Amino acid sequence: MRTQVDLREAINAISDVIQNRPRPLREFDQIHMKAGDMVLQSEIVSNWADGKRLAFIGDGDAISVCVAYLKHRGIVDYGPSKITVFDFDERVVKAVKRFADKERLENLDAQLYNCLEGFPDTSKFDCFYTNPPWGASNNGESVNIFVQRGIEAVAYEGDGMIVIADDDELAWPKQVLASVQKYASDRNFFVSRMMPKLHQYHLDDNPELLSCNLIVTSVPGVEAPTSPSEAITDITRLENFYGRSNSPCVRYVRERKRVDYGRAHDDEYEYELLEKMP
C-alpha cells in the first residue's frame, strides 16, 4: 500500500529542484512543465519505475531530479533504483550532478550525450523516459529519434514513457501520436497505456497546449537486434528537428561558467547607490 503524499512537502521539494535547473533554450524546443504538473508527473514516474533502472533521454524539466529527491526526502517511499540522464546540454548535466552531490542522491547521475550520435555503451536499463521536441513540423520524426535511443537504452526489452503534445483541436498532435505509435510498433513495442492531457507548459505562443504520457512496452519473446547503435545520418530525419527550418547544428550546449540558478545573475541587475550623507 502506497503512503499518502504530503502535497506541501512535495511542492516544496519540487521548488528546490526548479531553483537548481537551468533556464530553457527555446531554439532547442526546451519548454518547462509547470510546477504543479511536475509534482503530479514525478509521482507518476516514481510509481511506474519503482525498483527499476531508468534512463532519461534528455531532461530539461528535471523530472529525473524530482523523482530521486522525492524518494530521498521520504515524501514517497517508492521510485527507481537507478536514474541516469543523457542530455546534450552541459548545463542540465552539471545541474543534475551538483544537486545529486549536494543532496547525496546516490542513485542519480547524468552524462553528456547527443541523441544524434550512437547511444553509448552502458549497462542495460529497464525503462526509459523522454520529453523530446514534439515534432510539429516533421510529423514526429524528432520524437522518434529520442524514442529510438530510449529503446536502445533498454536493449529492446522494457518500457518507455514518452511525453508528447495532446490536443483535441489541432491536427498535428494526432499525426505525431500516430507516427510515434507506428514507429514503436515497427520495433515490437505496443502502447500499454496512455494518460491523456496531463501537463501544461510555460509556452508563450500556445499556453493551453497540453501533453500526454504515452507508455510503450516491448512485445515478449521477440529477439532484439544485435547491430550496434549508430549515428543518425539520414538528412530527411533531421529536417525541422527543432521546429520549422530549424535543423540540428549543435553537438553540445556548453556551460560557460558555474551558475547558481537559485540566485539572480550579476548581468541581470545593477546598483544605483544612495547619495552619501553629509
Side-chain angles (χ1 to χ4, degrees):
M1 175 135 181
R2 300 299 194 198
T3 57
Q4 185 172 354
V5 176
D6 185 317
L7 187 57
R8 180 190 295 272
E9 288 295 320
I11 292 172
N12 285 343
I14 270 51
S15 178
D16 291 342
V17 176
I18 290 173
Q19 287 283 86
N20 173 75
R21 72 183 177 187
R23 288 181 290 186
L25 299 175
R26 189 66 179 87
E27 59 267 37
F28 299 120
D29 227 14
Q30 293 178 347
I31 306 163
H32 285 164
M33 189 181 292
K34 291 192 174 182
D37 293 335
M38 288 180 65
V39 175
L40 172 66
Q41 183 73 345
S42 300
E43 194 282 329
I44 289 172
V45 173
S46 296
N47 189 29
W48 169 70
D50 184 28
K52 297 180 179 179
R53 296 161 295 176
L54 173 59
F56 276 74
I57 312 301
D59 190 30
D61 286 320
I63 296 295
S64 59
V65 183
C66 295
V67 169
Y69 194 43
L70 287 177
K71 185 176 181 183
H72 179 74
R73 290 275 301 272
I75 297 168
V76 300
D77 58 2
Y78 44 90
S81 60
K82 174 183 173 63
I83 302 171
T84 304
V85 178
F86 298 89
D87 202 295
F88 86 128
D89 189 338
E90 189 178 43
R91 302 173 311 143
V92 170
V93 171
K94 289 191 173 182
V96 170
K97 286 179 169 289
R98 284 195 289 265
F99 196 91
D101 181 64
K102 176 176 177 290
E103 300 295 337
R104 300 295 185 262
L105 305 178
E106 296 181 357
N107 67 331
L108 175 65
D109 198 8
Q111 180 174 334
L112 193 63
Y113 166 68
N114 188 313
C115 70
L116 302 185
E117 300 177 343
F119 195 75
D121 292 333
T122 185
S123 58
K124 179 181 178 297
F125 292 87
D126 301 306
C127 48
F128 71 89
Y129 176 103
T130 189
N131 188 345
W134 285 350
S137 301
N138 62 7
N139 196 37
E141 193 57 42
S142 50
V143 180
N144 292 335
I145 288 175
F146 278 75
V147 172
Q148 174 183 336
R149 298 315 186 196
I151 289 175
E152 290 171 350
V154 301
Y156 290 79
E157 183 183 21
D159 301 277
M161 184 179 292
I162 307 158
V163 182
I164 43 179
D166 187 14
D167 190 288
D168 288 336
E169 304 301 322
L170 299 173
W172 70 263
K174 301 179 182 68
Q175 294 162 352
V176 169
L177 275 165
S179 172
V180 174
Q181 290 180 49
K182 183 179 185 304
Y183 183 88
S185 177
D186 289 345
R187 282 143 190 86
N188 297 307
F189 278 71
F190 66 95
V191 176
S192 54
R193 188 179 179 190
M194 181 175 175
M195 307 171 72
K197 301 176 185 65
L198 279 183
H199 327 105
Q200 280 189 299
Y201 294 81
H202 296 283
L203 183 59
D204 52 359
D205 56 350
N206 192 352
E208 302 303 316
L209 184 62
L210 302 175
S211 65
C212 65
N213 288 335
L214 184 71
I215 300 175
V216 297
T217 300
S218 58
V219 177
V222 177
E223 188 173 345
T226 56
S227 56
S229 177
E230 297 181 348
I232 307 295
T233 57
D234 183 349
I235 295 176
T236 61
R237 298 190 72 188
L238 303 179
E239 292 176 350
N240 305 315
F241 190 83
Y242 294 117
R244 191 170 303 279
S245 302
N246 190 2
S247 298
C249 59
V250 172
R251 184 186 186 195
Y252 299 133
V253 175
R254 289 293 186 179
E255 184 176 75
R256 284 185 172 175
K257 59 182 179 179
R258 175 167 175 163
V259 178
D260 184 346
Y261 295 106
R263 300 178 181 223
H265 300 179
D266 58 12
D267 58 359
E268 292 181 349
Y269 64 92
E270 60 180 313
Y271 296 129
E272 182 174 333
L273 301 178
L274 292 168
E275 293 184 8
K276 290 185 178 181
M277 301 297 289

